[in-house]
Amino acid sequence: MKVKVKFLSHSGYFIETDKHIIVFDYIKGDLPQLDKTSLFVYSHSHQDHFSREILGLKGDVRFLLSSDIKEDLKLPFQDNVYYIGPDAKRVVGDVHLTTFGSTDKGISIFASVDNVGIFHSGDLNLWIWDEDSEDERLEMTRAFREEVKKVQLKNVDIAMFPLDPRLGRYASSGIDYFVDLIRPAYIFPMHMWEDFSISQKYKESFSSSFTKFVSVDHDNQEFIIEV
């Protein structure tokens, strides 16, 4: 099956399968026409991942939001908006969803639709900073690996994962571990803060017999992949 994947901006991705559209953490970018049943998924309330203005989109559109978004923003009831916390399952239309935790806020999420397995990491990453103490690094590593191991039971065709240049020498530590353990067919970078050079550098050093890393060079970049 051919699947359309569009990097919108920052951590926002548009994915189109045979009969469905799923959009993750969209806050800006050129959103393609929503001419199929569409589900917008949001991993947490941080401003670089969610904008309440999106809830005004019209059409055959549903929204699945991490429960912290409702709590933080005090959102009113809306009949096409659903909420979910970590370590939960939900079916929205024909999309089967499983959530996991995060090492920052909210959820990471796996979606199965049209026989395609899709994972969006949200802010689940190995957040190690130069100024962290040894104890902080050990605790972050433990928490990160614990969450990623939960994803092992899923057949991940497409994954979207942070590659954050602010982490310096640790920028690829999280994505490296994820690829080694989960072995998705394709992995796309996100959370690059418009420093796309990190994507190209990572592609040049990337090596895997199971996974193809797809480098992103600019906002609104489209790809067609075979899954």
Side-chain angles (χ1 to χ4, degrees):
M1 177 197 306
K2 292 189 183 300
V3 176
K4 178 179 178 179
V5 179
K6 181 173 183 177
F7 173 74
L8 297 165
S9 177
H10 195 58
S11 294
Y13 271 92
F14 169 101
I15 297 180
E16 183 177 0
T17 61
D18 275 351
K19 300 178 181 178
H20 296 83
I21 289 170
I22 304 183
V23 184
F24 295 91
D25 284 6
Y26 166 67
I27 56 171
K28 65 178 182 177
D30 297 334
L31 195 64
Q33 184 177 356
L34 302 176
D35 53 3
K36 298 177 181 178
T37 299
S38 301
L39 176 65
F40 283 69
V41 179
Y42 286 92
S43 63
H44 62 288
S45 64
H46 288 167
Q47 291 183 353
D48 59 320
H49 289 259
F50 175 74
S51 170
R52 66 193 307 158
E53 296 176 0
I54 303 303
L55 301 181
L57 281 174
K58 304 299 182 183
D60 187 8
V61 177
R62 296 173 180 175
F63 301 89
L64 182 68
L65 314 184
S66 174
S67 55
D68 69 283
I69 296 175
K70 181 178 178 65
E71 296 163 4
D72 290 350
L73 302 182
K74 304 296 189 287
L75 296 177
F77 172 79
Q78 191 170 319
D79 61 7
N80 64 339
V81 177
Y82 312 93
Y83 297 93
I84 194 167
D87 301 311
K89 295 178 184 287
R90 183 152 197 166
V91 179
V92 179
D94 296 327
V95 185
H96 294 252
L97 302 126
T98 303
T99 61
F100 310 95
S102 173
T103 44
D104 188 349
K105 191 167 189 174
I107 60 173
S108 49
I109 192 161
F110 174 82
S112 178
V113 60
D114 295 337
N115 294 315
V116 180
I118 306 163
F119 179 81
H120 189 280
S121 189
D123 266 358
L124 171 63
N125 190 23
L126 187 56
W127 298 110
I128 294 180
W129 308 88
D130 282 334
E131 62 269 23
D132 288 345
S133 68
E134 185 63 25
D135 285 346
E136 288 173 325
R137 296 181 187 193
L138 289 173
E139 175 56 25
M140 172 57 68
T141 300
R142 182 204 62 77
F144 171 72
R145 292 182 176 182
E146 183 177 285
E147 288 303 323
V148 172
K149 286 176 182 177
K150 296 176 184 178
V151 188
Q152 275 186 293
L153 298 177
K154 302 300 182 182
N155 182 19
V156 181
D157 297 299
I158 301 167
M160 294 146 282
F161 203 92
L163 189 60
D164 194 320
R166 301 174 304 166
L167 294 173
R169 56 182 170 157
Y170 302 108
S172 66
S173 298
I175 195 170
D176 286 342
Y177 183 82
F178 184 86
V179 167
D180 287 345
L181 193 68
I182 306 303
R183 297 180 176 181
Y186 296 88
I187 193 159
F188 292 79
M190 61 183 194
H191 220 273
M192 295 175 287
W193 300 101
E194 299 186 355
D195 181 2
F196 299 108
S197 65
I198 192 171
S199 178
Q200 184 58 41
K201 290 176 183 175
Y202 187 67
K203 180 181 179 180
E204 291 169 358
S205 63
F206 185 81
S207 177
S208 172
S209 301
F210 308 95
T211 300
K212 179 178 180 180
F213 174 76
V214 183
S215 181
V216 172
D217 303 316
H218 55 83
D219 288 351
N220 303 308
Q221 188 172 2
E222 294 186 6
F223 307 88
I224 303 296
I225 61 174
E226 188 79 35
V227 299

